[in-house]
């Protein structure tokens, strides 16, 4: 990435403001290769030099890519007056970096939510042109069968007349009038899965996203937990965003 001013690096990572960087440098809280650097405007090469800020080594990343196990009751927004948002579940430095959710899950949907501060990738992944596949697991109040699988494949017409693209419905189990299903869609209309199942007479009782493109929700993440994407997951997402997935 080449040389960069220390204060620019620290603010881009959301670690502090420019003014705070200047004060930290003056007080000896910024080290370059282990030696105090009193001038926050000094330029360094973050690939070749080790920057330490307030005792923590700083590894510069141009962008961050996260997966969150979104819990129920939290909104997929960066700010909300009434409800807790997915950003409230992350360390404050991510908000300061401008991290945002890639697409949305309803407040009452749980599961995989990607977040990034890479606007270009976020936009490509949600673009209807790319048609990135999203896999959901749902419990629906009704008995679904082969006729519904066929209707999903042909493209469901929602109750307001909107026609959905072909989607995959897999029936995993039907018990006591409740169907446990998997639904794969390649678009992201408002409340799409809920409305598709409602259109087949089986309103959703529970909904969870399991995968987006090649990225699957890591089963070690409990609701509310998150981790950075691995380089392999990121490479697969980039390929899908570029239309090569
Ligand atoms: N479809 C829905 O109905 N809700 C979601 O949260 C995601 C897809």
């Amino acid at each position: 990435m080449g040389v960069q001013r220390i204060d620019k690096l620290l603010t881009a990572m959301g670690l502090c403001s420019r003014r705070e960087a200047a004060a930290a440098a003056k007080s000896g809280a910024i080290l370059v290769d282990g030696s105090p650097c009193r001038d926050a405007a000094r330029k360094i090469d973050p690939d070749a030099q080790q920057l330490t800020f307030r005792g923590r080594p700083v590894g510069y990343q141009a962008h961050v890519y996260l997966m969150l196990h979104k819990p129920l009751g939290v909104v997929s927004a960066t700010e909300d007056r009434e409800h807790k948002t997915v950003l409230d579940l992350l360390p404050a430095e991510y908000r300061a970096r401008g991290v945002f959710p890639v697409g949305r899950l309803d407040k009452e949907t749980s599961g995989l939510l990607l977040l990034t501060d890479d606007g270009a990738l976020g936009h490509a992944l949600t673009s209807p042109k790319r048609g990135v596949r999203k896999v959901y697991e749902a419990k629906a109040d009704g008995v679904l069968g082969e006729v519904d699988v066929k209707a999903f494949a042909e493209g469901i017409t929602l109750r307001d007349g909107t026609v959905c693209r072909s989607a995959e419905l897999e029936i995993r189990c039907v018990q006591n009038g409740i169907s446990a299903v998997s639904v794969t869609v390649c678009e992201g209309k408002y409340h799409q899965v809920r409305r598709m199942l409602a259109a087949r007479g089986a309103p959703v009782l529970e909904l969870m996203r399991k995968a987006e493109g090649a990225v699957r929700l890591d089963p070690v993440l409990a609701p509310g937990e998150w981790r950075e994407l691995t380089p392999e997951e990121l490479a697969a997402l980039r390929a899908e965003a570029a239309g090569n997935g």
Side-chain angles (χ1 to χ4, degrees):
M1 74 162 306
V3 294
Q4 282 277 344
R5 282 172 61 130
I6 292 172
D7 52 2
K8 271 190 105 175
L9 283 171
L10 294 173
T11 53
M13 294 176 74
L15 292 175
C16 62
S17 66
R18 283 249 187 131
R19 187 179 292 180
E20 287 165 339
K26 286 217 169 67
S27 71
I30 294 180
L31 309 180
V32 176
D33 292 333
S35 303
C37 165
R38 307 278 173 190
D39 178 10
R42 182 174 145 195
K43 290 185 173 174
I44 61 161
D45 179 351
D47 294 328
Q49 290 169 288
Q50 176 61 62
L51 180 62
T52 307
F53 178 63
R54 294 178 181 154
R56 272 174 57 193
V58 171
Y60 180 75
Q61 288 173 280
H63 291 297
V64 289
Y65 305 91
L66 311 174
M67 75 158 73
L68 169 73
H69 184 160
K70 180 195 167 298
L72 298 174
V74 171
V75 295
S76 304
T78 52
E79 278 176 59
D80 191 281
R81 285 208 190 148
E82 271 179 63
H83 304 105
K84 197 167 175 174
T85 74
V86 289
L87 265 289
D88 294 328
L89 300 170
L90 304 177
E93 64 212 50
Y94 288 119
R95 183 190 292 279
R97 281 189 75 121
V99 162
F100 61 91
V102 176
R104 302 171 72 87
L105 287 179
D106 301 337
K107 184 161 150 272
E108 295 314 327
T109 302
S110 63
L112 175 67
L113 187 68
L114 301 174
L115 296 112
T116 184
D117 57 354
D118 180 344
L121 186 69
H123 182 260
L125 287 172
T126 48
S127 160
K129 269 195 247 154
R130 294 285 175 250
V132 173
R133 286 156 58 91
K134 284 151 291 240
V135 182
Y136 297 86
E137 281 185 5
K139 282 205 177 125
D141 189 5
V143 175
L144 294 164
E146 280 315 305
V147 62
D148 303 295
V149 172
K150 193 158 170 279
F152 267 64
E154 283 168 357
I156 296 280
T157 302
L158 302 178
R159 286 181 173 157
D160 67 357
T162 307
V163 180
C164 298
R165 287 192 206 163
S166 173
E168 213 177 293
L169 173 70
E170 188 194 328
I171 299 168
R172 301 158 71 89
C173 157
V174 181
Q175 223 173 14
N176 302 328
I178 308 280
S179 302
V181 298
S182 229
V183 177
T184 304
V185 294
C186 58
E187 52 188 345
K189 298 188 196 304
Y190 180 68
H191 285 176
Q192 182 161 352
V193 175
R194 290 174 198 274
R195 291 198 291 157
M196 286 167 105
L197 286 164
R200 300 304 303 170
V204 163
L205 301 171
E206 287 171 26
L207 186 60
M208 180 178 197
R209 182 150 71 197
K210 286 292 192 173
E212 178 157 1
V215 177
R216 293 197 67 78
L217 178 64
D218 188 332
V220 307
L221 295 178
E225 291 184 342
W226 60 274
R227 68 159 169 81
E228 291 202 13
L229 295 187
T230 64
E232 294 74 26
E233 287 167 336
L234 182 56
L237 273 186
R238 285 210 167 106
E240 278 171 317
N244 307 320

